[in-house]
Amino acid sequence: MTDLGDAMTDLIVCTALGMEARAVARGLRPELGGDHPRVRVVRVGMGPDRAARAAALLPPAAALAVTGFGGAVHDGLRPGDVLVATEVRSGDRVWPCPSAPLLAGELLRAGLPARTGPLVTSPHVVTGRGRHALAREGACAVDMESAPLAEAAGARPFAAVRVIVDTPDAPLLNLATMGGAIAARRTLARIGPVLARWAAAAGPRRVLLASPRSFCAGVERAIEIVERALDRFGAPVYVRKQIVHNIHVVRDLERRGAVFVDDLAEVPEGAVTVFSAHGVAPAVREEAGRRGLRVVDATCPLVAKVHAEARRFAARGDLVVLIGHAGHEEVEGVLGEVPGAGVLVEDEAGVADAAQNVPWGRGVAYLTQTTLAADEAGRVAAAIRRRFPDAEGPRGDDICYATTNRQHAVRAVAAQADLVLVVGSANSSNALRLTEVAARQAPLARLIDDPGDIALDWLRGARTVGLTAGASTPGATVDAVVAALGGLGPLEVEERRVTEENVEFTLPKEVRP
């Protein structure tokens, strides 16, 4: 046993071999001291029987981890890769490891080639043929010690992290594999500090779930349009730009046969093509017509409303001032409706610049990108009205109900949270605005795509976490974040609902049942 702390242990790290224990301890020493967690590294011996006997003698600790070398089962793993177990299997028993995405993300940020997947504990060394059989059952790697230690962990946070040294095609006892073990020892030293940060983030906490969150009616409609188009017309179905701004949605639809393109020139003539929820300019529709594309329009009806208002204002000769963010697809589509008659304003300072383009006596009207923060857009709209007292705004608020509701909901949790996590992709305007709104009230607010993006240092001392998601984020991703946080200790989940949403939009005729 290597003691790297005092008698009050925060983390016990178990290894089978002395060389593994020394490597982990060597990596940990520079990281510890001060307010770092108290860690013990324990050599338990090889095999499940030795590991079980050692587990019975382990001193109390807040968290338990096992690390060391492991054998690959999955073809995608190579010597030097790091597997973080999502679950440990032995016979017909399974021990979940829900914090695995948090650990894997931290290892990736540390520069290590980490991935997640099931780990099997075997009572004996598994050869190539046996490993192929385990792979067919969905396993990624095999070891001989993790299961007894997972059982000993009980309700405590538990992690199993293995550095791959051999594969079904490169068995353990050959010179090449033994050479790889030297590099694996260096990797083990780098794993130690990450495990210490994982232990420091562990503990009981409360999660405040903002509601409404995740998909809105327009996003659900857009995704359903692509799914129905695939069912009706077969793959491939081409989608101009991302159907909604979320990488998980895009990847899922790609697996089903959707092909996402940036330009219609990439689409074969006559192919089925879906326009994204963010809308397109008339020039794009005209190009699709010239090329004979079979178009299904997934533009959100609330975005289509802004397009119609822009056309109405421009038709009577007004300069159309659009409050929004440059480069966003929705902005490009709206301004494309009024060529030569529209100008983009991103902030209050931009109003003065826009004023230079208004001849004396010309009317001014303003519109708003649907996914902006309401308070930010309100300040810019007020600046427009001060500069142009007769300026006319939209009929009703352009900012969509879902954006407004999610901003109200995140405010309801941010003031009570040590940390707010907003789940959404970095190109989602809706999710970015939620993060900005949360940051005005919470000590720390961060945008994440999934649990792997959560830095463990954010969680240290954060006993109340606010959680929400942009309107283009699947609810399953939020569930994954909650599950990962639950792997760090007891979790109390409380939903804060500010309103109910019951909006539904009809589907285009091309994909209706």
Side-chain angles (χ1 to χ4, degrees):
M1 179 182 295
T2 303
D3 195 345
L4 295 171
D6 58 27
M8 297 293 292
T9 305
D10 294 318
L11 170 67
I12 291 178
V13 181
C14 297
T15 70
L17 305 176
M19 65 184 293
E20 296 168 331
R22 289 189 292 274
V24 174
R26 185 169 59 251
L28 278 165
R29 283 194 178 94
E31 297 289 323
L32 302 180
D35 62 349
H36 289 279
R38 293 163 291 275
V39 182
R40 289 187 180 188
V41 181
V42 178
R43 177 189 172 188
V44 299
M46 285 187 63
D49 292 338
R50 288 194 179 100
R53 288 195 294 270
L57 300 174
L58 290 176
L64 181 64
V66 57
T67 191
F69 305 146
V73 167
H74 192 280
D75 288 340
L77 285 172
R78 292 290 176 264
D81 289 349
V82 179
L83 179 79
V84 183
T86 53
E87 62 184 30
V88 175
R89 304 174 182 173
S90 179
D92 59 356
R93 298 191 64 186
V94 177
W95 293 268
C97 305
S99 67
L102 303 174
L103 257 177
E106 197 80 359
L107 289 165
L108 286 168
R109 287 185 289 275
L112 295 173
R115 61 172 294 172
T116 60
L119 174 68
V120 173
T121 293
S122 170
H124 52 77
V125 174
V126 182
T127 60
R129 183 173 295 179
R131 294 193 188 187
H132 288 307
L134 291 176
R136 288 193 293 272
E137 297 173 1
C140 285
V142 62
D143 72 1
M144 297 174 64
E145 297 83 28
S146 290
L149 296 164
E151 184 173 21
R156 291 175 291 175
F158 174 77
V161 183
R162 290 294 182 178
V163 182
I164 301 302
V165 293
D166 61 307
T167 69
D169 301 321
L172 185 61
L173 298 177
N174 72 33
L175 291 177
T177 301
M178 297 305 289
I182 298 173
R185 287 175 60 190
R186 292 194 292 268
T187 299
L188 278 177
R190 297 172 64 188
I191 287 172
V194 176
L195 288 173
R197 292 198 290 276
W198 170 76
R205 55 176 43 90
R206 180 174 60 148
V207 170
L208 301 178
L209 274 177
S211 183
R213 61 185 178 276
S214 298
F215 283 171
C216 65
V219 166
E220 289 179 339
R221 174 181 181 269
I223 295 170
E224 185 177 0
I225 286 170
V226 178
E227 292 171 338
R228 285 179 175 269
L230 286 166
D231 290 341
R232 176 163 296 185
F233 305 112
V237 165
Y238 292 85
V239 184
R240 183 185 181 275
K241 306 293 186 179
Q242 291 189 353
I243 185 67
V244 296
H245 286 157
N246 185 270
I247 189 61
H248 297 291
V249 171
V250 169
R251 287 173 180 167
D252 179 61
L253 291 173
E254 283 178 332
R255 285 191 290 269
R256 303 189 198 189
V259 178
F260 293 87
V261 300
D262 287 326
D263 193 281
L264 291 184
E266 303 171 61
V267 181
E269 290 193 10
V272 176
T273 306
V274 178
F275 291 158
S276 80
H278 309 103
V280 299
V284 176
R285 298 181 187 278
E286 292 165 6
E287 181 185 358
R290 288 194 301 271
R291 303 190 65 246
L293 303 182
R294 301 172 66 186
V295 171
V296 185
D297 190 356
T299 300
C300 174
L302 299 180
V303 174
K305 165 184 171 289
V306 181
H307 280 243
E309 289 173 325
R311 292 192 298 269
R312 178 171 65 87
F313 288 138
R316 71 186 192 189
D318 289 353
L319 176 72
V320 179
V321 179
L322 177 62
I323 305 170
H325 293 294
H328 194 278
E329 290 151 37
E330 182 182 330
V331 167
E332 293 174 353
V334 174
L335 291 179
E337 295 280 5
V338 289
V343 62
L344 176 66
V345 169
E346 296 193 81
D347 51 34
E348 294 174 76
V351 175
D353 295 333
Q356 299 176 13
N357 298 317
V358 184
W360 179 259
R362 186 177 187 181
V364 172
Y366 66 89
L367 299 169
T368 305
Q369 181 181 332
T370 63
T371 55
L372 297 184
D375 51 358
E376 172 193 10
R379 288 192 296 270
V380 180
I384 292 172
R385 290 192 297 270
R386 286 194 299 271
R387 181 63 182 81
F388 306 102
D390 296 329
E392 183 177 343
R395 293 174 178 170
D397 195 352
D398 278 345
I399 297 177
C400 84
Y401 76 95
T403 299
T404 301
N405 289 346
R406 280 150 188 73
Q407 290 172 14
H408 287 329
V410 79
R411 289 190 190 97
V413 303
Q416 300 179 46
D418 304 309
L419 164 69
V420 174
L421 298 174
V422 179
V423 189
S425 293
N427 63 338
S428 167
S429 174
N430 180 279
L432 287 168
R433 303 294 82 75
L434 279 175
T435 310
E436 292 169 357
V437 170
R440 296 184 191 122
Q441 292 183 280
L444 184 65
R446 289 290 184 265
L447 176 67
I448 60 169
D449 240 324
D450 52 44
D453 287 343
I454 301 173
L456 292 172
D457 284 345
W458 301 346
L459 297 172
R460 188 169 186 171
R463 291 297 168 239
T464 300
V465 176
L467 183 59
T468 190
S472 54
T473 303
T477 312
V478 178
D479 295 340
V481 172
V482 173
L485 295 176
L488 296 175
L491 199 67
E492 176 190 348
V493 180
E494 178 183 340
E495 186 170 56
R496 298 287 179 84
R497 182 174 295 276
V498 299
T499 188
E500 297 287 342
E501 292 182 347
N502 53 14
V503 176
E504 294 183 5
F505 295 127
T506 59
L507 296 170
K509 63 180 185 300
E510 294 86 354
V511 293
R512 286 178 196 158

